[in-house]
Amino acid sequence: PISSLGEPRTRLAMLRRAARSLGTLGASASSRPPAWFGAPAPCRAFRASPRAEDAETETDASKSTGAHQDASSDRVGQGMRGDGTAPRFYTHVGIERMSDGSGDWGVTLDGRALKTPRRVPLAVPSKSLALAIAAEWHWQSGRSVRPFTMPLMGLVATAIDQMSQPEVRLFHVRKLLEFFPSDVVLCRHEPGPVADRQAKAHARVLSWAKHELGKDLEPSTSIFGADLPETVVKNAEKRLNGMDAFELTATFNAAASAKSLLIGMALIRGAIDVEGAIRAARAEEDASIEEWGLVEGGHDVDQADITVRLAAPRAMMTMLRAG
């Protein structure tokens, strides 16, 4: 949660750093230039830089990671402090192919396979995504693990532990459809400057949605939301049900962050980029900032926060598709 990130300036710096990292990962995965996106290697390990603050931690980690202990990520939850961090319990981070013959990739902490909070081996069909998750664990400070700086880990664990269950999938699809009429792309201000800004910011999303879900999809100025044609709702439901656990997790998180199923679907399907999704999601708030000014420690943190929340699911899907 954002409240766990400390003072506004600290929160803003951390969110902006995470957003830059996610943008780099997504771009790298789509173009695939780095050598480590190529032929599979048995394991690629990362080791923290020898910083002074890490010396004591490495000694403690070696004492606390005996063979009897598990590399399950639920250890982070068990050791959670009041500030939203947990003690770092590992030194080395790497990736390796799963031994089950699936061809999937997993992450290792001190040589032990990383598991989800439900103690299921964390495995993804993309080497680049496994490396990105490993990087999130590696980039933690020498003393602490900050779960709120690990969005890819959170998304993948949710997909494996939760969205793979039929009843959980059904619940999330129903929730997305329940709030569909109040989608920010479909709720338009009365004619004026704000409505004009919304029309411009939402144009690409709405055009894509009409092509994908039905040409009769139109925004509304009603306070009760848009009146959706039955065919549009059925088409949206069909596409949601056709997603695998990773894509549905990405779509739900993007939609929840943008308060828009259409923005979430368009972003994950590649119809718009992260910047376009941010403009579409924040059209009304940005209009307010232009008129009344930006509140430091409030609006700027919100901007950085939504950048991370939209960039993470897009980056995850980009890397999954890149392989």
Side-chain angles (χ1 to χ4, degrees):
I2 292 302
S3 59
S4 302
L5 295 180
E7 294 300 318
R9 291 184 182 277
T10 303
R11 287 185 277 163
L12 182 59
M14 294 178 71
L15 287 165
R16 284 177 172 168
R17 192 180 310 124
R20 287 195 298 271
S21 300
L22 287 167
T24 302
L25 289 169
S28 299
S30 60
S31 54
R32 306 182 71 175
W36 39 268
F37 281 77
C43 179
R44 182 180 183 90
F46 299 85
R47 177 166 182 160
S49 302
R51 298 176 299 183
E53 68 175 17
D54 292 344
E56 179 183 346
T57 305
E58 292 200 11
T59 301
D60 293 341
S62 64
K63 293 178 181 178
S64 63
T65 54
H68 66 287
Q69 292 190 332
D70 199 356
S72 174
S73 57
D74 69 348
R75 290 187 62 188
V76 174
Q78 293 170 2
M80 194 70 70
R81 306 185 183 107
D83 63 354
T85 68
R88 179 164 175 160
F89 57 90
Y90 59 92
T91 303
H92 303 279
V93 184
I95 68 168
E96 63 181 6
R97 274 201 185 277
M98 304 300 291
S99 59
D100 57 6
S102 64
D104 289 349
W105 289 86
V107 177
T108 61
L109 303 180
D110 290 336
R112 301 180 183 86
L114 174 64
K115 296 183 179 179
T116 68
R118 286 198 171 188
R119 296 185 178 274
V120 176
L122 188 140
V124 293
S126 164
K127 183 181 179 182
S128 54
L129 180 55
L131 280 164
I133 296 170
E136 288 187 334
W137 285 92
H138 169 65
W139 288 337
Q140 300 304 304
S141 74
R143 298 180 181 276
S144 301
V145 175
R146 297 178 173 85
F148 45 79
T149 64
M150 306 169 76
L152 294 173
M153 175 65 197
L155 288 168
V156 169
T158 298
I160 294 172
D161 282 354
Q162 302 295 333
M163 212 64 81
S164 58
Q165 302 178 45
E167 65 276 12
V168 176
R169 286 180 56 92
L170 180 60
F171 173 81
H172 284 80
V173 169
R174 284 177 175 173
K175 281 298 176 183
L176 287 171
L177 295 175
E178 178 183 343
F179 291 98
F180 193 7
S182 58
D183 192 298
V184 299
V185 174
L186 300 178
C187 294
R188 192 68 54 84
H189 264 247
E190 295 290 340
V194 176
D196 293 341
R197 188 187 191 100
Q198 288 176 314
K200 183 177 180 179
H202 298 160
R204 192 167 180 179
V205 177
L206 194 57
S207 175
W208 172 86
K210 287 184 175 184
H211 181 267
E212 289 289 314
L213 305 179
K215 62 181 181 180
D216 295 329
L217 187 62
E218 293 290 347
S220 171
T221 58
S222 171
I223 62 173
F224 300 105
D227 184 14
L228 299 175
E230 185 177 351
T231 54
V232 169
V233 177
K234 287 184 176 180
N235 286 336
E237 183 177 14
K238 180 179 179 180
R239 280 158 178 74
L240 291 171
N241 286 330
M243 297 177 180
D244 63 18
F246 290 106
E247 187 175 4
L248 185 56
T249 299
T251 299
F252 185 88
N253 279 268
S257 300
K259 298 180 177 62
S260 167
L261 172 59
L262 297 181
I263 294 175
M265 291 180 69
L267 175 67
I268 300 307
R269 291 296 176 96
I272 57 173
D273 58 16
V274 175
E275 290 73 18
I278 294 170
R279 286 193 299 271
R282 290 179 50 84
E284 186 175 351
E285 186 172 357
D286 286 344
S288 177
I289 291 173
E290 282 192 2
E291 182 175 0
W292 303 104
L294 181 143
V295 177
E296 187 176 356
H299 289 133
D300 50 352
V301 173
D302 290 344
Q303 290 168 343
D305 182 45
I306 196 171
T307 300
V308 173
R309 291 181 183 276
L310 293 179
R314 172 61 177 264
M316 180 181 77
M317 292 308 302
T318 299
M319 287 183 278
L320 281 170
R321 288 163 181 157

